[in-house]
Amino acid sequence: MARRVWSCFSSISTAVLYGSLSLFVSILHNVFLLYYVDTFVSVYKIDKVSFWVGETVFLIWNSLNDPLFGWISDRSFLGSQHAGVRISNPQVVLKRLQALSRTGPLFALSFLAFWVSWARPGLQFLVCLCLYDGFLTVVDLNHNALLADLAVSASERTLLNFQCSLFSALGSLSVFMSYSFWDKEDFFSFRMFCVALAALSILGFSVACWLLRQRFQGRARRDEEEDSVLKELCVGQAPLAQEKELTLGQYLKQLSKHTNFLWFASMNLVQVFHCHFNSNFFPLFLEHLLSDRISASTGSFLLGFSYIAPHLNNLYFLSLCGRYGVYTVVRWLFFLKLILSVIMLLAGPDQIYLLCIFIASNRVFTEGTCKLLNLVISDLVDEDLVMNRRQQAASALLFGMVALVTKPGQTFAPLIGTWLLCVYTGYDIFQRDPLQEVVRTQELWNPAWFSTLRQGCFHLLIFIPITCAVLQLLAWSQFSLHGKRLQSIKLQRQSASQELPIDVKDI
């Protein structure tokens, strides 16, 4: 019986095991995003000052921890290929899996800390956010880095990303299940639901990481034996010079000369801004553009559809990437964003069905583009390795540096959005003065003012995608890591590794 179970687990492909890690993250993270603010505001009654202090500290920590953990993880890989100590690719994969097997369960436990009141609301809010985001960052960095470490060819990386999208879509179901347990007055059922999700995540991380480690330990041992034989053969010869460890300043100088990284970071900053703008203002657009024209159930369907559809839609996008390449598909999506926005602008805000389709598709395509960009970052990891002749790809560090440059887009989205809304309409969503509330209520009943607000929301909905698409097309046209250039980089990485690349299908 035990042998049959083991053979069943052994038959699971590496791509499926890698993708399953996305499931164990998404079942927790989706619930966290949906309920953590409401829990502290409505259930724990956190005060406004403590809430904003916590969010401010979280913003700083969230921006800095990606490059910090990436540097801690990958600084030993930054030396050149002529360094004395050779680190094999299976050893790198094992190092990342060990980090995931340790921090994955801790990430699940930090998720549970939100749903039980154990300190003053302000203190608990700050500690929980920083702990949760710290563990989530380590998990995400190592998981994304494995995309570049497990495979080199575009087809294999597309397969890995396909499995991630499939399991992330499954993970979104936890949001729909959570509605059955969410009750602010009786929190016990929701807590038990969260405990069950955390237990599933801990079990999943432990089993998946253990199975993956079993597959790479044999290869790592063989590499160590080969190294020991080579050392014995080289007895009496002058040892290879040990390089100094690369400093952070030297690494940043190298990165500043990486032109494709700079263009990609510029494009991705706009993409992150647009993704979070859609998330922040989606309910506002539903309320002021569609609430009096569609039923509540239709609005709820649009909200749910925009949440799960990007994962499913990404499966189709990845099949296109396999045929035409990631660069071409991303460029098509930018043109599609621009064309749909112009069509909606010409049609006007009174075409309700077209407006529903545009609001939903704008979010779906934007989120879908975000999910393809990990493949581009993996290609940038290859180019960084070849350009700087590193002994191993510093994949986690490069993912962290991309996050550092693009995270400000999360902050700019609500700030710029609310400022533009106020400029267009005079409507300040943060106004809390009682007299102003009375005046606003009277104004909302004024058809002329309501028409101005609706027109302002429509212009915001249309001109943000148009501006983002134009800026992204300009930056993307300067990105050269595609076609023959990309093929050359991949061939150089494979030849420089001094060993055959790991084939995901063969392991």
Side-chain angles (χ1 to χ4, degrees):
M1 181 65 181
R3 187 176 298 176
R4 187 178 300 175
V5 172
W6 168 247
S7 63
C8 181
F9 277 123
S10 300
S11 64
I12 301 174
S13 70
T14 300
V16 171
L17 288 173
Y18 172 79
S20 69
L21 296 174
S22 296
L23 170 65
F24 307 130
V25 173
S26 61
I27 58 173
L28 303 184
H29 192 54
N30 290 334
V31 172
F32 159 78
L33 290 175
L34 198 59
Y35 293 110
Y36 87 97
V37 172
D38 205 7
T39 297
F40 276 90
V41 172
S42 303
V43 179
Y44 299 155
K45 310 296 182 184
I46 188 174
D47 62 277
K48 184 178 179 180
V49 173
S50 298
F51 180 81
W52 284 111
V53 168
E55 285 287 357
T56 303
V57 174
F58 169 65
L59 172 65
I60 298 170
W61 171 241
N62 189 33
S63 299
L64 297 178
N65 60 18
D66 290 272
L68 173 65
F69 292 137
W71 175 258
I72 293 172
S73 172
D74 285 4
R75 62 181 176 179
S76 59
F77 304 155
L78 296 178
S80 76
Q81 293 164 2
H82 302 295
V85 180
R86 187 174 75 92
I87 305 174
S88 67
N89 199 60
Q91 290 171 330
V92 174
V93 172
L94 280 175
K95 180 181 177 181
R96 305 217 187 279
L97 290 173
Q98 287 168 356
L100 282 169
S101 64
R102 288 194 303 267
T103 55
L106 292 174
F107 161 71
L109 292 175
S110 68
F111 167 78
L112 287 180
F114 283 94
W115 319 116
V116 179
S117 180
W118 49 267
R120 294 184 59 172
L123 177 62
Q124 182 177 349
F125 185 68
L126 177 60
V127 173
C128 286
L129 273 182
C130 291
L131 274 178
Y132 178 85
D133 188 67
F135 289 124
L136 176 63
T137 297
V138 177
V139 169
D140 275 346
L141 283 179
N142 283 281
H143 186 235
N144 290 333
L146 281 173
L147 181 65
D149 295 331
L150 286 174
V152 175
S153 72
S155 59
E156 290 175 354
R157 286 179 178 172
T158 301
L159 173 64
L160 292 172
N161 210 340
F162 180 90
Q163 295 295 336
C164 286
S165 296
L166 186 61
F167 280 101
S168 294
L170 289 175
S172 299
L173 296 177
S174 65
V175 172
F176 295 96
M177 295 172 60
S178 67
Y179 287 119
S180 303
F181 299 94
W182 176 251
D183 186 352
K184 298 176 188 178
E185 306 302 325
D186 183 11
F187 216 48
F188 179 77
S189 298
F190 184 74
R191 285 185 180 127
M192 291 300 100
F193 172 71
C194 291
V195 168
L197 290 180
L200 176 61
S201 181
I202 291 172
L203 180 63
F205 268 110
S206 302
V207 172
C209 290
W210 183 78
L211 288 172
L212 285 169
R213 286 166 65 185
Q214 295 300 309
R215 302 185 181 195
F216 288 95
Q217 280 174 345
R219 256 191 98 123
R221 278 193 222 101
R222 287 198 299 272
D223 288 340
E224 288 176 1
E225 291 171 2
E226 289 175 5
D227 284 346
S228 63
V229 170
L230 287 173
K231 286 178 183 177
E232 291 175 3
L233 291 173
C234 294
V235 171
Q237 296 183 11
L240 291 171
Q242 296 289 327
E243 279 195 355
K244 288 183 178 180
E245 196 171 271
L246 201 69
T247 65
L248 180 59
Q250 292 170 326
Y251 174 74
L252 292 176
K253 186 176 180 180
Q254 291 178 350
L255 208 59
S256 67
K257 297 178 181 178
H258 193 169
T259 308
N260 280 323
F261 169 82
L262 298 177
W263 284 116
F264 173 81
S266 303
M267 180 277 294
N268 199 25
L269 174 62
V270 180
Q271 185 66 26
V272 170
F273 167 83
H274 194 198
C275 284
H276 284 81
F277 173 83
N278 285 337
S279 300
N280 296 151
F281 291 92
F282 193 91
L284 187 75
F285 294 144
L286 287 182
E287 178 185 355
H288 293 297
L289 293 174
L290 296 173
S291 62
D292 59 336
R293 309 291 182 92
I294 61 174
S295 64
S297 59
T298 305
S300 177
F301 170 77
L302 282 175
L303 190 62
F305 175 78
S306 69
Y307 205 87
I308 194 172
H311 299 293
L312 300 176
N313 205 38
N314 199 40
L315 302 179
Y316 175 65
F317 290 157
L318 286 169
S319 67
L320 293 178
C321 289
R323 294 171 60 185
Y324 303 106
V326 183
Y327 176 86
T328 303
V329 173
V330 170
R331 186 176 59 179
W332 287 349
L333 288 171
F334 291 156
F335 275 118
L336 183 61
K337 183 198 301 186
L338 181 61
I339 292 169
L340 289 176
S341 301
V342 172
I343 291 173
M344 192 67 244
L345 176 64
L346 296 175
D350 295 325
Q351 302 295 325
I352 300 304
Y353 292 109
L354 187 60
L355 190 60
C356 289
I357 293 172
F358 176 76
I359 290 176
S361 63
N362 182 38
R363 176 169 162 77
V364 168
F365 290 142
T366 304
E367 293 288 338
T369 305
C370 285
K371 298 181 187 308
L372 294 178
L373 296 183
N374 280 350
L375 292 173
V376 183
I377 301 175
S378 299
D379 293 337
L380 288 170
V381 169
D382 297 339
E383 189 177 41
D384 174 71
L385 179 141
V386 171
M387 285 174 57
N388 298 293
R389 302 187 61 81
R390 306 199 191 284
Q391 60 173 318
Q392 271 298 333
S395 42
L397 181 54
L398 196 66
F399 272 96
M401 296 308 297
V402 169
L404 174 66
V405 177
T406 58
K407 281 282 179 73
Q410 297 182 14
T411 306
F412 293 149
L415 293 178
I416 294 177
T418 51
W419 175 73
L420 287 174
L421 186 64
C422 189
V423 169
Y424 272 125
T425 66
Y427 178 69
D428 185 2
I429 63 175
F430 295 110
Q431 181 60 254
R432 289 293 180 267
D433 181 64
L435 179 60
Q436 290 291 335
E437 289 289 339
V438 174
V439 173
R440 186 187 303 141
T441 302
Q442 293 174 351
E443 287 179 334
L444 284 172
W445 288 100
N446 184 346
W449 193 87
F450 182 79
S451 176
T452 302
L453 176 61
R454 192 167 186 272
Q455 195 69 28
C457 288
F458 178 74
H459 286 157
L460 197 63
L461 173 69
I462 297 302
F463 287 122
I464 288 291
I466 289 176
T467 305
C468 289
V470 170
L471 291 175
Q472 288 175 302
L473 284 169
L474 289 173
W476 202 231
S477 66
Q478 302 299 315
F479 187 81
S480 63
L481 190 57
H482 58 91
K484 293 181 179 179
R485 166 72 177 170
L486 180 60
Q487 293 176 6
S488 172
I489 289 293
K490 290 188 178 295
L491 286 174
Q492 289 181 67
R493 175 174 180 178
Q494 289 176 352
S495 62
S497 64
Q498 299 180 359
E499 61 182 88
L500 291 174
I502 300 173
D503 191 330
V504 173
K505 296 175 185 175
D506 290 344
I507 295 174

